[in-house]
Every structure is written in structure tokens, then in C-alpha cells.
Amino acid sequence: MKTSDFRFDPSQVRTGYSHSTIFKEDGFGMNYCSSCGVRVLTQVPEGDHLPRQVCPSCHTIHYSNPKILVGAIPVWERKILLCRRAIAPREGYWTMPSGFMENGETLQMGAARETFEESLARVTIEDLMSVINIAAHNQVHILFRAQMDSPEHGVTLESSEVRFFEEAEIPWADLAFRTVTQALTHFVEDRQRGQRTLHLVDLETTRP
Ligand SMILES: [Zn+2]
């Protein structure tokens, strides 16, 4: 894990593919074109520098790009609301509400929606707290601080238990993902220092 200034390094750009090169489909999720149903090929389109899934019939290029996950640390009277995961992966371990951003919503809308879906808590989204790059996993995790509108919360299909934790009770050994550990560390350390800062982290792992 490190936080560093980013400097563009052209040598890091993957090159050397010829436009006619056909690649194995390893690492690509699509077998058939979602536009016309013909089997797709994996090749570097002209003018591009990475292999893409390309339809030989309708010529649609099916780009695969990173996923954004968005979430919040919900707080009521200094207590932190966490959820015990009811679903794989990491079933039974604790997390803040977080999930994949949906089309048509802002980051703040996504954070509030995920919080309600996973904990039945209604929150006011406050400031941006953590941006966690997991380049090896094609994900960016974005977390906000959030104030609960009331202490109401409850279990959901995604969470077998939802409860408040005092700072000293946070179950550090039973957190679901390294992103959860990171975000809660940012939250707790900032609050102990009486400050709110934005944390930009590169998590060097293939495991979230
Ligand atoms: Zn097609």
C-alpha cells in the first residue's frame, strides 16, 4: 500500500501488439456480441494499444473498464454502524455499507442507496473520505463520511446483523476486506485528531 504522486510513464503503457494479432480470450468475460450475437474476437483495434473484444460482424468494440464501488461510514452519536455480510465473498465478516455504483446516480446517491440497502439506515452523505485504487483488481472504492438521520437500522438480505460499534469495539480482526480496514482506519484516525481529510490510497493487491 502506498500513496504517491502519479507521474505518467510511457514505458508502463502496454504496447507491442499488432492490429491483426488475435489473442486468447483469457481475462475477457464476453463470448458473444451483445449487439448481434456473433462470437467476438479479442484483438487490438486500429489506433488502440490494448486488446479489446471486437465483433467481426457488426464491428462493435466491447470495452472493459474498471468498476466503481461506493459506500459510507454511517454515524449516530459517535457510534459507527457496521454490517455483518450475509453473502459471499467473506460471509460472516464485518463491513461498512458499500457496493457497485449504478448507472444514472452520483457517488453520493450511490453511497446513500447502498447504506439503505445493506443496513436500512437513512443517511445524509457528508464529505469524501477515502479513494482506494485497486488497479490489479480493476476497482476503485470511494467512501464518504455520513450522518444517520435517525438511529433506525435493521438486517437485510445482504446483512445478517447490523449494529452500532463504539470506536474501541470495532472488530478489526473480523473485517471483510482490506478496503474496510483502510476506510475505518481513516475515519478513526481523523476523528481522534479532530480533522477531516481526504485519503488517496493505492492498494497493491488482487484481493479487495
Ligand atoms: Zn456484433
Side-chain angles (χ1 to χ4, degrees), residues 32-38 40 54-60 62:
Y32 297 97
C33 177
S34 56
S35 297
C36 75
V38 167
V40 296
V54 180
C55 177
S57 177
C58 73
H59 307 294
T60 300
H62 299 278

Side-chain angles (χ1 to χ4, degrees), residues 67-140:
K67 294 274 192 287
I68 296 174
L69 290 94
V70 63
I73 308 281
V75 174
W76 179 258
E77 294 176 347
R78 289 190 68 81
K79 295 186 293 288
I80 300 162
L81 192 72
L82 295 179
C83 307
R84 189 194 285 271
R85 290 175 59 83
I87 50 176
R90 301 290 283 164
E91 182 180 347
Y93 290 86
W94 292 91
T95 182
M96 66 270 167
S98 172
F100 290 104
M101 192 178 181
E102 298 285 5
N103 291 338
E105 68 184 7
T106 64
L107 287 169
Q108 301 92 308
M109 288 163 62
R113 176 186 52 74
E114 285 291 343
T115 300
F116 184 75
E117 286 178 1
E118 297 187 3
S119 71
L120 299 183
R122 295 181 187 279
V123 292
T124 299
I125 298 297
E126 298 183 323
D127 59 310
L128 183 57
M129 181 185 73
S130 308
V131 177
I132 305 173
N133 292 305
I134 313 179
H137 207 61
N138 304 324
Q139 291 181 353
V140 180

Side-chain angles (χ1 to χ4, degrees), residues 126-167:
E126 298 183 323
D127 59 310
L128 183 57
M129 181 185 73
S130 308
V131 177
I132 305 173
N133 292 305
I134 313 179
H137 207 61
N138 304 324
Q139 291 181 353
V140 180
H141 293 243
I142 298 174
L143 286 311
F144 291 85
R145 278 173 272 251
Q147 185 65 43
M148 290 173 66
D149 298 339
S150 80
E152 286 177 45
H153 61 275
V155 298
T156 64
L157 287 177
E158 296 173 58
S159 307
S160 59
E161 186 180 357
V162 178
R163 54 158 283 201
F164 287 116
F165 288 87
E166 300 284 352
E167 215 166 270

Side-chain angles (χ1 to χ4, degrees), residues 164-178:
F164 287 116
F165 288 87
E166 300 284 352
E167 215 166 270
E169 300 173 325
I170 293 173
W172 294 103
D174 293 318
L175 298 180
F177 305 108
R178 290 174 64 189

